[in-house]
Amino acid sequence: MKKEIEIIGLGSADLDAMPLGVYKKLKQKGRVFLRTKEHPVVGELEKEGFTYTSFDSIYEKHDSFEAVYEEIRDILLTQAGLGPIVYAVPGHPLVAERTVQLLLEAQEKQEGISIRFGGGQSFLDALFLSLRIDPVEGFQLLDATALSADQLQLRQHMFISQVYDRLIASDVKLTLMERLPDEYEVYIVTAAGSPEEKIEKVPLYELDHTTEIHNLVTLYVPPVTQEELHMRDFSELRNIISVLRGPNGCPWDKEQTHDSLKKYLLEETYEVIDAIDSGDIDHLIEELGDVLLQVMLHAQIGEDDGYFTINDVIESISAKMIRRHPHVFGTKTAETADEVIANWQKIKEQEKGAIRKESLLEGIPKSFPALMKAYELQKKAAKAGFDWQEIGPAFEKVKEELQEFEAELTSEAGLTLAKKEFGDLLFAFVNVARFLGIHPEEALIETNDKFVRRFRYIEEMVKKSGKAIEGHSLEELDRYWDDAKKNGL
């Protein structure tokens, strides 16, 4: 038996605004189901003998709206199996009606389900009229029960529906506050287009304090015109960079190239590391912004030259992250960080398999500092099996290189060979660090910082002594150094 469901919309106002065709269908003898009876026309129809079954009680049974809507769908399909039914929803059946979408999904998956629509007026029509808004200016219709800050288009009119109660209103308020000031004025529109219509303007922070929050409420957020409130938008940053390199932009920015910007990217990267080490969050925010600026400048140069845009950069890294995290976005499993790294490496090798390598050591940037490069070279060689199995031989290699370095210091060749042996000694020490899981670059950065702290302490003590630093003996300066060490510097 075919399951026949006719879905009609009750409109957004009272009985006078309901189309005659919809009114006749509701008055016909038959089984009518309402998603909710909390609608202006229902009380008026009841006076005319209208009978129905509503699903209001189901809202109390579940913790999520999706579960409510799924149960309503299941009941409707079961009832349609007993004979044709009418399902009536507020507004228009295809505007902000999740139950209708669930029924349509079921129709695609199952044979024998017939769904047709019987009209209805969207609440959007009433909102545009009540708020005197021309939709051609651009607008968003958002669901309060699934709202996130990254959905918000602040330059457009925003309507947020499904604001059923104060709890949802509170969630909406907190989400909007991620992008808007607490005092930003919004409008609570109740029963738009009906005789009970009410429009209340409130500051955002009071949104969940009003008593007029129920299923006939829509929140209206006017377009944001203050430019400073758009500073969090990625599109605003992109526009700023475009202007800087545009015809009337900055002479310095306009003459930059990928090559000329290389040194700045390196400098800004090291400044981010300094900010991380300092533990200063505000400083970190600023320095990360400087690195992002470098990325945006390179992307704008690519766009100006016609080769690529920032969208290509974003698409590339997004696709890579999904490909290389099959344990998150796919069906593979990885319980530990080591398993993740192993999977990552396998996928990386598969992606680059078509490119023939002349050496296993390829892929290390030439611009790496020597210490970092030594570390990465050893890692790549170790993956190929060129590595000791334990740390003992690595220590022995350090001792061997130290002896050779000392020997060259007294040889006739002098510093020429000593320089080479010193490099060998450093390389051997890097290998020991790798065995111990210590990154040599990070270790040396910490030691440099420690040296700076202790030497500055020495300078402070020298200043207090009233003598020039050159007037102090090495023994005196060493004592200051030991004091700094004892003080935890």
Side-chain angles (χ1 to χ4, degrees):
M1 180 179 176
K2 198 161 193 175
K3 299 177 180 179
E4 296 183 12
I5 305 174
E6 182 171 12
I7 306 176
I8 61 176
L10 299 176
S12 59
D14 58 8
L15 202 56
D16 290 338
M18 177 178 284
L20 181 59
V22 173
Y23 174 76
K24 286 180 176 179
K25 285 172 185 173
L26 290 173
K27 294 288 288 181
Q28 290 173 357
K29 297 298 180 182
R31 293 182 302 149
V32 178
F33 295 84
L34 305 182
R35 178 170 66 76
T36 176
K37 64 180 179 180
E38 302 301 324
H39 191 281
V41 303
V42 176
E44 297 179 72
L45 288 169
E46 285 177 340
K47 296 174 184 177
E48 300 180 11
F50 175 56
T51 59
Y52 58 87
T53 299
S54 83
F55 294 123
D56 290 275
S57 61
I58 296 178
Y59 284 83
E60 306 298 325
K61 293 172 55 179
H62 299 285
D63 294 329
S64 73
F65 285 104
E66 189 67 11
V68 170
Y69 301 147
E70 287 173 354
E71 182 171 344
I72 292 174
R73 172 203 60 195
D74 293 341
I75 293 173
L76 289 170
L77 290 174
T78 300
Q79 290 297 320
L82 304 176
I85 62 172
V86 172
Y87 178 46
V89 298
H92 190 282
L94 291 172
V95 178
E97 274 300 330
R98 179 61 181 153
T99 54
V100 174
Q101 295 303 318
L102 289 173
L103 286 169
L104 292 173
E105 289 172 13
Q107 185 185 34
E108 289 182 3
K109 296 175 183 177
Q110 301 176 30
E111 295 287 339
I113 299 176
S114 172
I115 295 176
R116 64 182 188 276
F117 294 93
Q121 185 184 36
S122 166
F123 67 96
L124 287 173
D125 296 330
L127 284 172
F128 294 141
L129 184 61
S130 299
L131 295 166
R132 306 295 190 266
I133 290 172
D134 184 348
V136 78
E137 296 172 2
F139 72 95
Q140 271 190 298
L141 175 61
L142 301 170
D143 183 350
T145 65
L147 188 66
S148 63
D150 59 3
Q151 292 176 300
L152 308 178
Q153 299 294 324
L154 300 184
R155 295 186 186 277
Q156 296 185 338
H157 300 280
M158 284 191 288
F159 300 105
I160 303 176
S161 64
Q162 319 283 36
V163 188
Y164 294 129
D165 53 37
R166 287 192 183 185
L167 183 61
I168 295 176
S170 178
D171 289 340
V172 169
K173 177 184 78 172
L174 294 175
T175 300
L176 290 174
M177 281 181 173
E178 292 181 38
R179 302 284 302 278
L180 295 170
D182 296 356
E183 300 80 14
Y184 195 79
E185 291 185 329
V186 297
Y187 295 80
I188 300 171
V189 185
T190 304
S194 76
E196 289 77 35
E197 176 182 287
K198 180 179 178 183
I199 301 176
E200 181 182 3
K201 182 166 68 173
V202 298
L204 183 54
Y205 69 87
E206 289 187 2
L207 176 59
D208 54 346
H209 297 171
T210 179
T211 57
E212 294 293 329
I213 296 292
H214 49 71
N215 69 306
L216 295 179
V217 164
T218 300
L219 178 67
Y220 169 58
V221 183
V224 175
T225 56
Q226 299 124 290
E227 286 302 319
E228 62 270 20
L229 295 182
H230 293 287
M231 293 301 176
R232 284 176 171 264
D233 292 347
F234 181 77
S235 59
E236 187 70 11
L237 172 62
R238 185 176 183 178
N239 182 60
I240 290 170
I241 303 302
S242 177
V243 170
L244 287 173
R245 282 189 50 86
N248 299 316
C250 169
W252 185 89
D253 288 286
K254 288 194 288 185
E255 71 180 23
Q256 296 312 304
T257 65
H258 293 306
D259 284 334
S260 70
L261 289 172
K262 286 191 297 187
K263 59 183 178 181
Y264 301 110
L265 181 56
L266 282 172
E267 290 173 7
E268 300 299 354
T269 302
Y270 280 115
E271 288 180 9
V272 167
I273 294 171
D274 285 343
I276 292 171
D277 291 340
S278 73
D280 186 334
I281 297 301
D282 290 335
H283 188 202
L284 179 58
I285 290 171
E286 179 184 356
E287 297 303 338
L288 286 173
D290 289 342
V291 171
L292 179 58
L293 169 62
Q294 296 302 311
V295 174
M296 297 301 293
L297 282 170
H298 281 285
Q300 188 61 47
I301 291 169
E303 185 170 349
D304 294 341
D305 293 343
Y307 292 118
F308 67 93
T309 71
I310 189 63
N311 300 104
D312 296 307
V313 176
I314 294 171
E315 179 185 22
S316 174
I317 190 60
S318 296
K320 180 189 288 187
M321 289 301 98
I322 291 173
R323 281 197 316 270
R324 296 193 183 178
H325 289 83
H327 54 288
V328 177
F329 301 105
T331 57
K332 290 199 174 185
T333 58
E335 301 297 333
T336 66
D338 288 340
E339 290 178 3
V340 171
I341 293 171
N343 286 343
W344 178 285
Q345 194 61 37
K346 286 179 183 176
I347 297 167
K348 183 177 179 180
E349 289 171 0
Q350 290 170 0
E351 291 173 354
K352 300 184 181 294
I355 304 174
R356 183 177 177 81
K357 288 185 178 182
E358 294 183 4
S359 170
L360 293 171
L361 300 180
E362 288 183 7
I364 301 173
K366 294 179 181 179
S367 57
F368 261 17
L371 203 60
M372 287 179 64
K373 191 168 187 177
Y375 183 75
E376 293 300 323
L377 286 169
Q378 292 174 8
K379 277 173 59 179
K380 284 184 175 287
K383 287 176 183 177
F386 188 68
D387 197 14
W388 285 298
Q389 299 303 307
E390 54 187 30
I391 198 171
F395 269 120
E396 291 301 319
K397 187 63 175 174
V398 170
K399 295 175 185 177
E400 177 189 324
E401 296 296 349
L402 179 59
Q403 290 172 356
E404 292 179 4
F405 173 63
E406 290 175 338
E408 291 300 338
L409 289 176
T410 58
S411 72
E412 294 182 1
L415 292 178
T416 302
L417 289 178
K419 178 182 177 183
K420 294 179 180 179
E421 294 301 338
F422 183 73
D424 292 345
L425 178 59
L426 284 179
F427 196 84
F429 252 128
V430 169
N431 208 22
V432 170
R434 184 179 59 82
F435 258 100
L436 297 173
I438 298 170
H439 197 295
E441 187 79 11
E442 294 177 2
L444 190 55
I445 287 172
E446 291 179 11
T447 297
N448 289 341
D449 290 343
K450 179 171 61 179
F451 180 85
V452 170
R453 291 195 304 271
R454 292 180 182 177
F455 193 80
R456 284 181 175 173
Y457 179 84
I458 292 174
E459 290 178 313
E460 288 177 13
M461 294 299 101
V462 166
K463 187 176 181 180
K464 288 180 180 179
S465 73
K467 292 193 303 181
I469 192 167
E470 294 83 3
H472 287 72
S473 66
L474 179 59
E475 289 75 16
E476 289 175 315
L477 296 177
D478 270 340
R479 281 197 297 272
Y480 291 147
W481 178 275
D482 290 337
D483 289 342
K485 190 175 179 179
K486 289 176 185 177
N487 291 333
L489 296 178

